[in-house]
Amino acid sequence: MPRKKGVAPGGEAGRTQHYRSDEIKKIVLSKLKKAGEEIVKAFNSGEWPTLYLPVRSTKNIVYDPSLRQYVLGPKRAERTVGNIRHLRPFAQLVWVSKFAKQLLTTGKTSTLRDTYYVAIGEGIDFESQDESDEVIMEVESLINQPREDMNIFPEERASIYGDLVIEYTIPGFRGQRIDLSAHPDGYAIGPALTTAEFARCGAEQVFVIEKGAVFSRFVEERADKKFKALLIHTAGQSPRNCRKLIRRLREELNLPVYIFTDADPYGVHIASVLIHGSALSAHIKEINVPDAVWSGVYATDITKYKLPAMRLTEQDFKRLKELEQDPRYTVDPWRREVQYFGKIKRKAELEAFSRYGLEFIVKDFLPERLAELQKR
Amino acid sequence: MPRKKGVAPGGEAGRTQHYRSDEIKKIVLSKLKKAGEEIVKAFNSGEWPTLYLPVRSTKNIVYDPSLRQYVLGPKRAERTVGNIRHLRPFAQLVWVSKFAKQLLTTGKTSTLRDTYYVAIGEGIDFESQDESDEVIMEVESLINQPREDMNIFPEERASIYGDLVIEYTIPGFRGQRIDLSAHPDGYAIGPALTTAEFARCGAEQVFVIEKGAVFSRFVEERADKKFKALLIHTAGQSPRNCRKLIRRLREELNLPVYIFTDADPYGVHIASVLIHGSALSAHIKEINVPDAVWSGVYATDITKYKLPAMRLTEQDFKRLKELEQDPRYTVDPWRREVQYFGKIKRKAELEAFSRYGLEFIVKDFLPERLAELQKR
């Protein structure tokens, strides 16, 4: 396990640095430009401009074992100005591309919702935000970059705490650094943190935690120090930019990632999406973390630790049935745990360890689980 | 408007400081001790221990115009060991009081859910978390202190950004300071920030914002600098500890507070609860901010600014009906706006200002609104 990586070398206050986010911006702008040029070229040579978009229906989604995530299959759909019914979505797509360019060149950010309202203001005829969200996803699939790379960020916020110094790359804060171990309630993972560089890291692993209360518990029991761990609170399902940040911690700093969720089908899904990717984001590559390890709470932990548990609901059983059909659940611990849920028909929360006192989860459960996982 | 208040004077790294949170802790412990002593005294003199709890039913909730919040009326209920049906809730209440004492003396924090699980572990017979939540509220009403003062914090997190330096009072961070203008994505308002002292403040007002996207917009457009404002993101309805923090900013630093919510009945309610208090927290005094000013988005702004708007739902209309009956809505702007919602039958979001471009809300709307409010 490497540590104390100096990722951003030299340069006073980093103002003249070349950041990874600058590279991404260049790539996105050049991809957008290329798409635009092809449209102009077609017009100039008297042809109908035509775009080829990957089909994002569930029928074209496959699990790619080499990338270890859900991806789109080879099906493409044609969108051409030559078809009068394509004109409207074609124009919408061109507008979103223009808006993305504008965000990147002015250094501003937006959200899905904001983008919809700006479109309305500019007289672009979206019937609802659903429609503009859809077109934003089309642009993502066209240029194969997530919307965050076009400065369109999620509303939801995950947060982070631990021994990591970041360097901002956004306007107004460019080159400034901040130590993420200074505020124990956590730092929101918004546009500034998402695009920051990792300047110095003293942590050796990452603990990803579904629940705010358990994040606080980990901070309070000094899990960050005892285990040299960065703590990330996803607040339920991880927002996409948080998944990407965790992937960067894995790839750039080589940190192992452990995921802690409730012992219920929803918690299993949170871990699974982070590791395998989601069907909904199958058109975006590399925002999942294939090497991350689902570390519990397992269904078998309910029995092993005699955790206070509740009955599974109808919806839980339905979800379990779906998981049983899923190729990713044919290996342990997934298979074993899904089967065990079916057997005991019960679920438990991360907080349930508090039945042994507030210290138990960090003092006893964590070292036991990490030791087990390292034996695998 | 006062500014640059030095609230925490002298003392190297503040380790020997006396903090407000230390005072609160002392008060809570002494109230808990007093309740316990009375129980013991009764036992010793051969009497049945009896507690008198304010009745928290809606029938005993009134709006207090002098305190300018919802409060409980004079009705008290007796809970006595002499009644066999009272024994169980009496014992539960004693356990919660003991747990609160334990949290305060060890410097640990908990949540409602964690408290339930600890109780289960110690063999306390709560049927569900609902029951333990209820008993925690009884202890709040018995000693007239919010559960946060007993170190029981909410799971939900609001966040804050701006020119304010805080000094932590929690174990492990005691006396350390942090500048809340260093991370533009925001600082989570968890146990550490809730109990912190305000060490230095360069801001002259507070903007409370319902939506994460609009919080980011305000940061990006430098509303914090242009208006010397602290920005607080409530993520919907403000968690109680966030309401209390805003009240402290008002009382301790004398900062005016402006609240920005969506133009819909739910947004109105978010503003109203922050200003007037909620029926659910009527047993807790002084976590509302009577002087805070609801600053829009108003229903009339939908027309005035030609905002993209959606139809009110059945549920919205039902809520409007309730607001019309409410004594707090007999004055403007509340009365005017509630009536106007009924008239136009439409609602709009804070983000709707983006129809005039991303800068509009901070560059145009904000100064216009603040000027209007200062004329009132």
Side-chain angles (χ1 to χ4, degrees):
Chain A
M1 273 177 246
R3 62 208 68 163
K4 310 253 184 228
K5 281 209 169 187
V7 182
E12 198 191 347
R15 272 167 215 287
T16 55
Q17 291 270 9
H18 289 286
Y19 292 122
R20 188 191 148 95
S21 61
D22 296 336
E23 285 308 307
I24 292 169
K25 186 176 144 180
K26 254 190 229 164
I27 291 167
V28 173
L29 282 174
S30 111
K31 283 179 173 179
L32 290 171
K33 195 175 174 187
K34 190 161 158 275
E37 281 174 346
E38 276 172 28
I39 294 170
V40 172
K41 208 169 88 184
F43 272 127
N44 284 343
S45 57
E47 284 163 29
W48 295 125
T50 302
L51 296 168
Y52 297 90
L53 294 170
V55 172
R56 286 184 299 103
S57 79
T58 46
K59 281 181 192 139
N60 196 32
I61 291 172
V62 290
Y63 183 71
D64 181 332
S66 66
L67 270 178
R68 294 187 289 165
Q69 74 161 108
Y70 270 126
V71 294
L72 294 183
K75 270 193 223 152
R76 292 279 176 283
E78 194 184 80
R79 178 159 299 166
T80 173
V81 179
N83 183 332
I84 195 163
R85 285 184 312 171
H86 289 193
L87 265 177
R88 190 164 174 273
F90 196 103
Q92 289 171 333
L93 190 144
V94 169
W95 183 86
V96 168
S97 305
K98 184 219 76 167
F99 182 64
K101 180 191 168 191
Q102 193 181 327
L103 288 174
L104 286 170
T105 48
T106 58
K108 292 201 184 287
T109 67
S110 184
T111 58
L112 293 175
R113 201 177 304 256
D114 257 337
T115 303
Y116 166 68
Y117 284 119
V118 175
I120 296 301
E122 300 195 4
I124 302 305
D125 179 29
F126 286 115
E127 295 220 339
S128 70
Q129 197 199 317
D130 286 349
E131 202 179 3
S132 66
D133 288 359
E134 171 65 25
V135 175
I136 292 168
M137 283 200 277
E138 285 181 359
V139 177
E140 286 183 318
S141 68
L142 181 71
I143 66 172
N144 195 24
Q145 303 277 157
R147 58 176 175 264
E148 290 82 359
D149 290 350
M150 307 179 229
N151 280 11
I152 300 174
F153 285 91
E155 267 214 70
E156 320 83 60
R157 297 292 167 84
S159 58
I160 185 169
Y161 172 71
D163 190 0
L164 175 67
V165 175
I166 59 164
E167 181 168 327
Y168 295 111
T169 67
I170 58 164
F173 286 83
R174 219 173 146 81
Q176 284 180 34
R177 291 184 177 193
I178 191 172
D179 180 344
L180 299 184
S181 69
H183 179 55
D185 292 338
Y187 293 80
I189 303 175
L193 217 152
T194 303
T195 56
E197 300 269 339
F198 305 138
R200 201 175 61 241
C201 180
E204 295 176 9
Q205 53 193 335
V206 181
F207 293 162
V208 178
I209 304 154
E210 174 190 351
K211 292 288 204 41
V214 180
F215 173 86
S216 283
R217 173 76 37 241
F218 275 41
V219 173
E220 199 164 291
E221 301 299 333
R222 311 281 170 99
D224 58 300
K225 289 180 190 62
K226 286 181 188 158
F227 299 95
K228 297 199 177 199
L230 293 176
L231 306 179
I232 292 182
H233 168 214
T234 62
Q237 185 64 268
S238 317
R240 278 172 30 159
N241 68 325
C242 175
R243 273 140 70 189
K244 182 76 190 189
L245 185 80
I246 297 167
R247 187 179 173 112
R248 287 184 54 207
L249 291 167
R250 172 71 202 149
E251 288 188 343
E252 297 176 29
L253 303 179
N254 202 19
L255 303 179
V257 176
Y258 298 96
I259 307 167
F260 298 93
T261 62
D262 285 343
D264 60 32
Y266 189 71
V268 175
H269 188 61
I270 288 175
S272 180
V273 163
L274 185 50
I275 296 171
H276 307 113
S278 73
L280 200 66
S281 299
H283 62 293
I284 297 299
K285 291 200 178 70
E286 303 186 344
I287 59 170
N288 65 321
V289 192
D291 291 325
V293 179
W294 179 40
S295 311
V297 185
Y298 301 142
T300 48
D301 289 332
I302 297 174
T303 307
K304 184 176 173 192
Y305 288 99
K306 296 189 180 62
L307 298 178
M310 287 153 290
R311 273 176 217 286
L312 292 178
T313 63
E314 282 296 308
Q315 216 190 343
D316 290 330
F317 281 115
K318 199 176 146 245
R319 187 85 195 112
L320 277 183
K321 274 261 175 310
E322 288 164 15
L323 298 185
E324 276 167 12
Q325 315 293 323
D326 191 311
R328 296 161 295 165
Y329 288 84
T330 51
V331 292
D332 286 345
W334 309 94
R335 186 184 52 178
R336 179 190 75 212
E337 295 304 325
V338 166
Q339 283 173 356
Y340 202 78
F341 272 122
K343 193 179 150 199
I344 61 169
K345 297 183 174 51
R346 297 205 155 244
K347 57 183 178 179
E349 296 178 297
L350 269 163
E351 292 98 322
F353 285 108
S354 293
R355 77 162 296 174
Y356 300 110
L358 296 173
E359 297 86 356
F360 185 85
I361 191 168
V362 169
K363 213 172 132 212
D364 299 274
F365 168 72
L366 254 184
E368 281 173 29
R369 177 53 35 91
L370 294 174
E372 276 167 43
L373 292 172
Q374 272 143 24
K375 266 191 290 181
R376 277 209 317 209
Chain B
M1 276 176 244
R3 60 208 68 163
K4 311 255 181 224
K5 280 209 169 185
V7 183
E12 198 191 348
R15 270 166 218 289
T16 55
Q17 291 272 6
H18 289 286
Y19 293 122
R20 187 189 149 95
S21 62
D22 296 336
E23 284 309 307
I24 292 170
K25 185 176 144 179
K26 254 190 230 163
I27 292 167
V28 173
L29 282 173
S30 110
K31 284 180 174 179
L32 289 171
K33 194 175 173 186
K34 190 161 158 275
E37 280 174 348
E38 275 172 27
I39 295 169
V40 172
K41 209 170 86 185
F43 272 125
N44 285 343
S45 58
E47 284 161 29
W48 295 125
T50 302
L51 295 169
Y52 297 90
L53 294 171
V55 172
R56 288 183 299 103
S57 81
T58 45
K59 280 181 196 142
N60 196 33
I61 291 172
V62 290
Y63 183 71
D64 181 331
S66 66
L67 270 178
R68 295 187 289 165
Q69 75 160 111
Y70 270 126
V71 294
L72 295 183
K75 271 193 221 151
R76 292 277 176 284
E78 193 185 81
R79 179 159 298 165
T80 173
V81 178
N83 182 334
I84 195 162
R85 284 183 312 170
H86 289 193
L87 265 178
R88 189 164 174 274
F90 195 104
Q92 289 170 334
L93 190 146
V94 169
W95 183 85
V96 167
S97 306
K98 182 219 78 165
F99 182 64
K101 180 190 167 190
Q102 195 180 327
L103 288 174
L104 286 169
T105 48
T106 59
K108 292 200 185 288
T109 67
S110 184
T111 58
L112 293 175
R113 199 178 304 256
D114 257 336
T115 303
Y116 166 69
Y117 285 118
V118 175
I120 296 301
E122 298 193 7
I124 301 305
D125 180 29
F126 286 114
E127 295 221 337
S128 69
Q129 197 197 317
D130 286 348
E131 201 177 3
S132 65
D133 288 358
E134 171 65 26
V135 175
I136 291 168
M137 284 200 277
E138 285 181 359
V139 177
E140 285 184 318
S141 67
L142 181 70
I143 67 171
N144 194 24
Q145 303 276 157
R147 58 177 175 264
E148 290 83 359
D149 290 349
M150 305 179 230
N151 279 11
I152 301 175
F153 285 91
E155 268 214 69
E156 319 83 60
R157 297 292 168 84
S159 59
I160 185 170
Y161 171 71
D163 191 1
L164 175 67
V165 175
I166 58 164
E167 180 167 329
Y168 296 111
T169 67
I170 59 165
F173 287 82
R174 220 172 146 80
Q176 285 181 35
R177 291 183 176 194
I178 190 171
D179 180 343
L180 299 185
S181 68
H183 180 54
D185 293 339
Y187 293 79
I189 303 175
L193 217 152
T194 303
T195 55
E197 300 269 340
F198 306 138
R200 201 175 60 241
C201 180
E204 295 176 9
Q205 51 193 337
V206 181
F207 294 162
V208 177
I209 304 155
E210 174 190 352
K211 291 288 205 41
V214 180
F215 173 86
S216 283
R217 172 78 36 240
F218 275 39
V219 173
E220 201 163 289
E221 303 298 333
R222 312 280 172 98
D224 58 301
K225 289 180 191 62
K226 286 181 187 158
F227 299 95
K228 297 200 179 201
L230 293 177
L231 307 179
I232 292 183
H233 168 214
T234 61
Q237 185 65 266
S238 318
R240 277 172 31 160
N241 69 325
C242 174
R243 275 140 69 189
K244 182 77 190 186
L245 185 79
I246 297 168
R247 186 179 174 112
R248 286 184 53 208
L249 290 168
R250 171 74 201 149
E251 288 187 343
E252 297 176 30
L253 304 180
N254 200 19
L255 303 180
V257 176
Y258 299 95
I259 308 168
F260 299 93
T261 62
D262 285 342
D264 61 30
Y266 188 71
V268 175
H269 187 61
I270 288 175
S272 179
V273 164
L274 185 50
I275 296 171
H276 307 113
S278 73
L280 200 66
S281 300
H283 62 295
I284 296 300
K285 290 201 179 71
E286 304 186 345
I287 57 170
N288 65 323
V289 191
D291 291 325
V293 179
W294 178 39
S295 312
V297 186
Y298 300 142
T300 49
D301 288 333
I302 297 175
T303 306
K304 184 175 173 191
Y305 289 98
K306 297 189 179 60
L307 299 177
M310 287 153 290
R311 272 176 218 286
L312 292 178
T313 62
E314 282 296 308
Q315 215 188 343
D316 289 330
F317 281 116
K318 199 174 148 247
R319 187 85 195 111
L320 277 184
K321 275 259 177 309
E322 288 164 16
L323 297 185
E324 277 167 10
Q325 316 293 323
D326 190 312
R328 295 161 296 164
Y329 288 83
T330 51
V331 292
D332 286 344
W334 309 93
R335 187 185 52 176
R336 180 190 73 213
E337 296 303 326
V338 166
Q339 283 173 354
Y340 202 78
F341 272 122
K343 194 179 149 199
I344 60 168
K345 298 182 173 53
R346 297 205 155 245
K347 58 183 178 180
E349 295 178 297
L350 269 164
E351 291 98 322
F353 286 108
S354 292
R355 77 161 297 172
Y356 301 111
L358 297 173
E359 298 85 356
F360 185 85
I361 193 169
V362 171
K363 213 173 131 211
D364 298 274
F365 168 71
L366 256 183
E368 281 173 29
R369 178 53 34 94
L370 293 174
E372 276 167 43
L373 292 171
Q374 271 144 25
K375 267 191 288 181
R376 279 209 315 208

